[in-house]
Amino acid sequence: MAKEIKYGMVGGSLEAFIGEVHRKAIGFDTRVELVCGCFSSREEKNRLTAEAYGIAPERTYADYKAMAAAEAARPDGIDFVSVTTPNNTHYDICKAFLEAGIHVVCDKPLCFEVSEAEELVKLAEEKDLVFGVTYTYTGYTMVKVAREMILSGKLGEIVAVNAEYVQDWLLDELSAENRGKQKNDAVWRTDPAKSGISNSVGDIGTHMENMISYLTGLKIKRLLSTVNTYGRALDLNSNIIVEYENGVNGGYWCSQVAAGKLNGLIARVYGTEGAIEWEQHYPDYLKYTPKGGAVQILSRGTGYITEAAGAASRLPGGHPEGMYVAFANIYRNVVSTIIKKKAGLAPDPADLDFPSVREGLEGVKFVHAVISSAKADSSWIDM
Ligand SMILES: NC(=O)c1ccc[n+]([C@@H]2O[C@H](COP(=O)([O-])OP(=O)(O)OC[C@H]3O[C@@H](n4cnc5c(N)ncnc54)[C@H](O)[C@@H]3O)[C@@H](O)[C@H]2O)c1
């Protein structure tokens, strides 16, 4: 059966990290076909990736500009592009595809500058193009359950928020032996030319910011931070106090030098009637504590999960799901939205449950506020 829509990818050559995750996640949805790409700016990597995916040589592009122009000109051109390159390239690539009239999905952080992010929002909205930003973790079923509980008032009024995203993979970079050496390709994250003004806040802190925003709907009004670089150009460890528009405070911690931590994204939300805690290492479970009651462990794939949140599950409970499915859920909704728009139909609210370019803009603002506050002796910075 012919696929309903087609996509191309920029970045994501075979040895890259997240491009392959995007392709597998998109592949969960049988409605979409990968037909072209500029998988690397290096010719051989680009060609080998294209061959591995059976991409025609004439649709294997040497650069993203040629890809945007050629695909926009083809009657069977792509419906959307998936951008999985390092951060320094996001703005130019996204802009090129938006200008060519092609829907975009881009990985986070959206871009370097707030003004660039605002321009991408404006372009996407003016051209009525779909623009998803892959804040992966909002795609998990139990995150959706937590969100439903919070937004329906089950926790009462929110009084405290605490979140962390902590890893340890840059500890080695700090050792005398490795300092200054490029150990692996992912270390582009510590290079300001590729990563921008921030390493860890941009890389993982943006996920934390987006997670709390998705779960609670709270908007950060201002924040203050401390940032540790430990002699490197960019941040490796940050502590952030935020103040939401309703006056409630939250505490966030973001680190890539926390020994033993892998991808430790944790969100804790406390209300007048109870609390929730979700941890990405155990994504199929949600800890819920009603005020004065026993701690309850809620689980995916069970009868008490609502149909709406349960729709994000792809396997029966007890069979562990994971990051691929969280990613796939974001793409499924993006794809449904694009298909409906193409047919002249309005997407329904469930289709629109994916992080958009507006959330991408919030992430860029967050990064700038955290770094600006640290530079200003931890003073309050408005978002
Ligand atoms: N959402 C998530 O959970 C998540 C996880 C990891 C990475 N990311 C984000 O994904 C992006 C990529 O990260 P990664 O770890 O996969 O990096 P990576 O270094 O593993 O891969 C980058 C890829 O982009 C290609 N590339 C670089 N410049 C290019 C250009 N001008 N044109 C075409 N291809 C180009 C490289 O050849 C490589 O294939 C980053 O923005 C990162 O923040 C998101």
Side-chain angles (χ1 to χ4, degrees):
M1 193 180 110
K3 303 281 182 181
E4 289 183 54
I5 60 171
K6 302 175 189 67
Y7 82 103
M9 179 169 279
V10 183
S13 54
L14 289 176
E15 80 302 333
F17 169 28
I18 212 67
E20 185 63 30
V21 177
H22 281 251
R23 285 191 292 265
K24 288 198 159 56
I26 296 168
F28 268 74
D29 195 311
T30 54
R31 298 171 295 175
V32 197
E33 184 182 8
L34 175 66
V35 294
C36 70
C38 169
F39 303 99
S40 175
S41 37
R42 298 197 196 151
E43 193 277 328
E44 195 184 353
K45 286 185 179 184
N46 190 24
R47 181 176 50 76
L48 289 175
T49 311
E51 283 171 7
Y53 277 88
I55 305 298
E58 70 276 14
R59 292 180 95 172
T60 306
Y61 299 97
D63 75 82
Y64 70 85
K65 285 187 183 152
M67 176 169 154
E71 289 297 319
R74 288 178 73 106
D76 62 348
I78 52 172
D79 296 282
F80 76 93
V81 65
S82 176
V83 180
T84 66
T85 51
N87 311 349
N88 60 315
T89 61
H90 291 177
Y91 166 71
D92 288 331
I93 297 172
C94 293
K95 191 174 167 192
F97 282 90
L98 290 175
E99 282 175 339
I102 294 169
H103 303 293
V104 173
V105 177
C106 181
D107 221 313
K108 43 46 61 182
L110 177 60
C111 53
F112 279 4
E113 301 300 331
V114 173
S115 58
E116 294 171 344
E118 285 171 342
E119 196 185 334
L120 294 177
V121 169
K122 192 163 173 269
L123 251 180
E125 290 181 354
E126 274 173 9
K127 289 185 164 275
D128 194 24
L129 290 168
V130 176
F131 195 138
V133 176
T134 42
Y135 287 115
T136 316
Y137 309 100
T138 57
Y140 282 112
T141 303
M142 296 315 287
V143 169
K144 294 183 187 298
V145 171
R147 180 173 193 253
E148 281 181 351
M149 289 168 74
I150 294 167
L151 298 185
S152 69
K154 189 144 186 158
L155 304 192
E157 199 181 319
I158 295 171
V159 289
V161 173
N162 182 271
E164 62 192 58
Y165 196 151
V166 286
Q167 306 176 323
D168 70 0
W169 70 283
L170 284 176
L171 253 184
D172 285 348
E173 302 301 310
L174 294 184
S175 67
E177 182 197 340
N178 290 325
R179 209 165 277 211
K181 284 190 201 155
Q182 179 91 346
K183 279 186 65 214
N184 60 47
D185 283 348
V187 180
W188 62 256
R189 286 166 168 79
T190 63
D191 174 1
K194 298 213 166 131
S195 213
I197 60 167
S198 167
N199 165 29
S200 65
V201 177
D203 196 29
I204 53 178
T206 47
H207 280 298
M208 182 175 68
E209 175 274 325
N210 179 256
M211 174 59 68
I212 296 299
S213 161
Y214 181 74
L215 284 174
T216 65
L218 291 172
K219 295 245 170 297
I220 299 175
K221 182 178 161 215
R222 58 182 190 154
L223 61 78
L224 63 84
S225 69
T226 62
V227 161
N228 309 112
T229 61
Y230 299 118
R232 303 297 297 248
L234 300 176
D235 51 300
L236 291 166
N237 186 73
S238 312
N239 286 285
I240 303 155
I241 294 177
V242 304
E243 181 184 311
Y244 304 106
E245 283 175 351
N246 64 358
V248 170
N249 286 123
Y252 297 175
W253 174 39
C254 166
S255 185
Q256 288 171 319
V257 290
K261 299 294 182 181
L262 300 174
N263 275 285
L265 172 60
I266 303 181
R268 304 179 183 95
V269 181
Y270 301 87
T272 50
E273 300 301 325
I276 61 95
E277 179 173 330
W278 177 84
E279 183 170 359
Q280 121 100 3
H281 284 179
Y282 311 99
D284 286 352
Y285 301 97
L286 174 69
K287 206 186 275 184
Y288 165 55
T289 312
K291 184 176 79 170
V295 177
Q296 300 175 21
I297 307 293
L298 310 185
S299 160
R300 190 183 61 71
T302 48
Y304 49 80
I305 303 300
T306 63
E307 202 181 322
S313 289
R314 310 298 181 100
L315 290 170
H319 292 302
E321 288 189 344
M323 184 169 166
Y324 288 115
V325 169
F327 243 103
N329 287 333
I330 291 174
Y331 268 109
R332 181 168 65 183
N333 291 346
V334 169
V335 165
S336 295
T337 300
I338 293 173
I339 287 173
K340 285 196 181 155
K341 278 178 99 71
K342 210 174 163 181
L345 302 169
D348 63 42
D351 300 325
L352 295 171
D353 178 19
F354 62 85
S356 78
V357 67
R358 285 204 166 264
E359 281 75 57
L361 165 62
E362 290 308 302
V364 180
K365 284 186 187 168
F366 179 74
V367 171
H368 277 266
V370 172
I371 302 302
S372 302
S373 172
K375 283 194 173 148
D377 201 21
S378 306
S379 50
W380 285 104
I381 299 287
D382 287 339
M383 277 273 282

